[in-house]
């Protein structure tokens, strides 16, 4: 199975900060990498798919980059509604399609 | 409005069974692969099972293979998950999810239904 490792596990930031979260796959997954945001008591919400494609309706302050094994989610200027947990997920080839352990973005 | 609505969760004893349903609306259900994804309290999501749009092709996580069965009724726009031989480690929120493209990029999620396995 492909293991997905996110870093950091949590971070503290302020409104307006630039925030980056990294995700590393245990083997190459090309660009088959998705990012989700999850708020307490809610289902995950797709932000970025295919490593860098912005899902419809998602603000442009979210961006994704990377290919192969190393990927990054960047929030250019953190807003109050962005405090949440973020998960990467690989959708490469055959199952199982695995998620990272999550990165919690907290208010500093 | 595109929507998924799960039902059927609850309390089950170890070794017991439950059947989850997911009613879809607002899109052409048969055009898309559908999946079940679960999330234990305080943990990250875990893919459980997927089914293709029309051919009925299925995939399962090793942890549920042989115990869970995914199915769909395209005439009723409904996805199902039959869960047998339940274990304590199956305790989680269960979400149904629609594929944006392919099998495993999920653009629409239901609100989730909680399954608790305990004696």
């Amino acid at each position: 199975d492909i293991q997905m490792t996110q870093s950091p596990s949590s971070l503290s930031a302020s409104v307006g900060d630039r925030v980056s979260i990294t995700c590393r796959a245990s083997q190459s997954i090309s660009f088959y990498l998705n990012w989700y945001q999850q708020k307490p008591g809610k289902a995950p919400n797709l932000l970025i798919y295919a490593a860098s494609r912005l899902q419809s309706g998602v603000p442009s302050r979210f961006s994704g980059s990377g290919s192969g094994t190393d990927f990054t989610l960047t929030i250019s200027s953190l807003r109050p509604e962005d405090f949440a947990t973020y998960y990467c997920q690989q959708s490469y080839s055959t199952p199982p399609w695995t998620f990272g352990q999550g990165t919690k973005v907290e208010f500093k | 409005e595109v929507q998924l609505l799960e039902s059927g969760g609850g309390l089950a004893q170890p070794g017991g069974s439950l059947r989850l349903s997911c009613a879809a609306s607002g899109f052409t259900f048969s055009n898309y692969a559908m999946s079940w994804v679960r999330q234990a309290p305080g943990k990250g999501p875990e893919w459980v099972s997927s089914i293709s749009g029309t051919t009925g092709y299925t995939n399962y996580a090793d942890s549920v293979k042989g115990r869970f069965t995914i199915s769909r009724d395209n005439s009723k726009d409904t996805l199902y998950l039959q869960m047998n031989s339940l274990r304590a480690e199956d305790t989680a929120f269960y979400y149904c999810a629609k594929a944006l493209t392919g099998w495993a990029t999920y653009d629409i999620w239901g609100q989730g239904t909680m399954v608790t396995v305990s004696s």
Side-chain angles (χ1 to χ4, degrees), chain B residues 6-82:
Chain B
E6 300 98 336
S7 60
L11 177 64
Q13 291 194 335
S17 298
L18 282 175
R19 188 195 197 202
L20 306 184
S21 299
C22 170
S25 59
F27 64 99
T28 304
F29 183 67
S30 60
N31 283 356
Y32 298 93
M34 296 293 296
S35 297
W36 289 97
V37 178
R38 69 185 180 184
Q39 188 170 28
K43 302 293 186 181
E46 177 192 16
W47 170 77
V48 172
S49 182
S50 298
I51 186 167
S52 63
T54 54
T55 64
Y57 187 79
T58 58
N59 288 296
Y60 296 93
D62 285 347
S63 58
V64 307
K65 199 172 294 182
R67 301 187 298 121
F68 290 11
T69 302
I70 191 172
S71 62
R72 64 192 296 162
D73 185 338
N74 288 341
S75 69
K76 296 182 179 179
D77 292 348
T78 302
L79 177 73
Y80 303 99
L81 186 68
Q82 178 67 44

Side-chain angles (χ1 to χ4, degrees), chain A residues 9-78:
Chain A
S9 297
S10 64
L11 64 90
S12 298
S14 300
V15 172
D17 284 353
R18 181 181 180 88
V19 169
S20 291
I21 299 167
T22 63
C23 179
R24 175 164 288 177
S26 60
Q27 66 184 71
S28 177
I29 57 171
S30 185
F31 55 86
Y32 293 94
L33 191 283
N34 308 313
W35 289 99
Y36 299 87
Q37 176 193 67
Q38 188 175 32
K39 296 181 179 179
K42 299 293 187 181
N45 180 51
L46 180 65
L47 300 175
I48 302 285
Y49 65 98
S52 61
R53 296 190 175 190
L54 193 67
Q55 170 64 353
S56 176
V58 174
S60 59
R61 64 181 180 273
F62 292 93
S63 64
S65 64
S67 66
T69 60
D70 294 308
F71 302 87
T72 302
L73 172 70
T74 300
I75 308 172
S76 60
S77 180
L78 201 64

